[in-house]
Amino acid sequence: MTGQGAKIRREGLAPLPSLAQVYVPTIDGLEEISGWLGTFRERLRATRREERAEVAALVQELEARLEVRRAELS
């Protein structure tokens, strides 16, 4: 009745991506960089305190990579 002990259900949603899956220098295309960046920005919004610094660092790396690739393609 109180909702205590209730679990959040993520039916129909993709699981959160693992931080170990992303190695920023290997992500090359602008669409791919933008996709991962959006994914990890969303994950940053929902992350726990103990993971926040790691996810924030990954978002910063992806943002920097996006700027580098844009400059290379200009």
Side-chain angles (χ1 to χ4, degrees):
M1 294 294 228
T2 66
Q4 289 180 333
K7 294 182 180 181
I8 296 173
R9 297 180 71 181
R10 291 180 44 87
E11 290 179 15
L13 299 175
L16 292 174
S18 166
L19 297 176
Q21 290 178 333
V22 179
Y23 182 62
V24 174
T26 64
I27 301 173
D28 203 34
L30 290 180
E31 283 185 35
E32 187 179 17
I33 295 169
S34 294
W36 278 108
L37 186 55
T39 297
F40 280 97
R41 280 181 179 154
E42 183 60 33
R43 181 166 178 181
L44 183 58
R45 286 186 198 94
T47 194
R48 297 180 301 238
R49 266 187 207 162
E50 60 270 8
E51 286 186 324
R52 190 161 287 142
E54 189 177 0
V55 176
L58 184 55
V59 167
Q60 288 175 342
E61 284 184 57
L62 285 166
E63 288 172 340
R65 182 70 179 140
L66 182 65
E67 293 303 314
V68 167
R69 286 298 292 149
R70 280 185 179 157
E72 290 172 354
L73 295 172
S74 296

